[in-house]
Amino acid sequence: MSSPPPSSLPPLAFGGDYNPEQWPAAVQREDRELMRVAGVDLATLAVFSWAKIQPGPDVWDFGWLDEQMDELHAAGIRVDLATATASPPPWLARLHPEMLPVTRDGVTLWPGGRQAFCPSSPVYREHALRLCRAMAERYRDHPALALWHVSNELGCHNARCYCDVSAAAFREWLRARYGDVDGLNEAWGTAFWSQRYGDFEEVLPPRAAPAFPNPTQQLDFLRFSSDTLLDHFVAERDILHEVSPGVPVTTNFMVMRQTFEMDYLRWGRELDVVSNDHYLIAADPHAHRELAFSADLTRGTAGGRPWLLMEHSTSAVNWQPRNRAKEPGEMIRSSLAHVAHGADAVLFFQWRASRAGAEKFHSGLLPHAGTDSRQWREVVELSQVLDAVEEVVGSGTDNQAAILFDYEAWWGCELDSHPTVDVRYRDRAEDFHRALSALGVGVDVVHPSADLSSYRLVVVPTLYLVSDEAAAAVTAAAEAGATVVVTYFSGIVDENDHVRLGGYPGAFRELLGVRTTEFLPLAEGHTVRVSGLGQGEVLADVWAEDLELAGAEAVAHHLDGPAAGRPALTRRSVGDGVAWYVATRLAAEGTDRLVARLVEEAGLDRLPGAAPDVEVARRVGADGSWLFVVNHGSQDAPVPVTGTELVSGRDVAGDLVVPAGRVAVVREGVS
Ligand code: GAL
């Protein structure tokens, strides 16, 4: 799907968070001059400026911000203007300590950091909306204004609050969901452990308890918490739409492996344009693969449309245990990888590395060392690369493979009291994505309720919780001709986290033609051998099942471990398509062999030049297509493609070589 980005935004915008209030006027002048040198055309302003804009309940100071807006406009830089509600000022907490968030253990989180507010607090809501309206009224006609930025990373530090105000709001949410307390008792299965409620007033958030809290209570609390922050976003957005019509509204998501609290696939429907913050996991030697998956998922939250990379880092961050600096060229590779997967802006946190505060060791576009630095030279180079590839803006993708992804399934899958702690929700999704990418198969990551009719391969990884409708849609996709592959611990429970009876994997049992009578999770670090996937054996760990065939054929078997002799991989013809089941956690080699077979069987097109460390993606627009090649490896990569390579400006005729560590973007076709 392709669509034009909001016209108020610079094409393939480049820039980042700008916090001029941390610096004197002379530095601010230098900032604007260096932004010009670096080609910055979009700055995010006022994200953490509440205390400066409103130093007291009825004291306002917009003068400094007026000046910043004017100066940036004069410098030709557009502004992504925050509503400034992300971090309440100390005076507000002093007046209203009841707005502070409380952990499940009953610990109050005090001001002194950021985001110290309870998402359900009416006091916070009232003051935030007052500020949001004041910002909208003051800047709606400012010529620099390109985009409204609601709050910042809603839920980054305070996604779940367990205070009494939250408890009351949770009860209201439950009343709306269940109508009466009997409905709640049924859904939560409260006949267990004497948990029956006689009245909603008895219900609490899942605070620290002597034993595992009720799983459906936990699941509903996650739903409630995501909905509450989304409701806050919508309240600010509605004010902005009312007061400042025509200016698009966003809020920055955190689609990455570490963040699961917000159901971004639902949130995305409420934003005018999706934006995302993404930070590499320093300890992961293949962090670029997680980046590619997250970028595809971000495109999924945007309904397939282009989105904005609101934040990433030029080099190290400051909040991981060990903060690895990026290697030469890595920042440009990461940036282009995001664009390859649909980003129409490349922005960073932050413009100038701070001198003071908790983020002073976080990299910026302009490092402490100044412009005589490798980081700065790469920033300038990146800006030139982005200018060269600007024509991709607005283009989308036309992938033939989909991975189904659902935050509710993530929440349910990783609750406590399960067969093993080693089943992680994103694990199989990322591994199939990795294997497909290595073969040059582009992937959409979509919600189970998405239209699956255009996909020839549908991957259903660890979809623990699934509705009847979603299970039926997966079956329909197979019947209509798709190859479907379901992995273990899928289809186990309904939306209330109640087990689907009669044998696992309940919701997919018929489709797959298998019936599992017992899970056989493996001991920590224990590997088993599986045969039948090509020559020799492949390894697997974490999971096995006591699986019987009920219509499917066994493709591979366990050679040892608790499921020795049992099928590990099955296949069943269904209508015009095929349904596969993977009943163990295959190591990478096994996934690679399986995926190669699936790609072949489904007859998927493959992008040229892809390899395990050579990321290839195609964006498709109304006027053509662009092949992105990001060479993360240490060898030069040959790519048989014809067209114009935009970064170098050279024509290529089937013989592009992308040097180790470099990127290329080819407008495909004979020019
Ligand atoms: C984000 C946040 C930024 C900055 C950045 C550091 O979570 O939005 O304000 O803190 O991380 O990596």
Side-chain angles (χ1 to χ4, degrees), residues 17 47-48 114 152-153 156-157 252 254 256 277 279 311-313 317-319 349 359 362:
D17 280 44
V47 172
F48 295 108
R114 65 178 175 185
N152 193 67
E153 291 190 342
C156 179
H157 309 287
N252 41 346
M254 296 168 283
M256 41 189 163
D277 297 351
Y279 291 94
E311 291 180 20
H312 68 151
S313 63
V317 299
N318 64 302
W319 45 263
F349 178 85
E359 294 186 322
H362 192 294

Side-chain angles (χ1 to χ4, degrees), residues 317-337:
V317 299
N318 64 302
W319 45 263
Q320 298 183 18
R322 288 158 208 88
N323 294 294
R324 182 177 73 77
K326 286 190 177 162
E327 294 163 8
E330 191 178 358
M331 186 266 289
I332 294 180
R333 290 198 298 279
S334 296
S335 300
L336 264 284

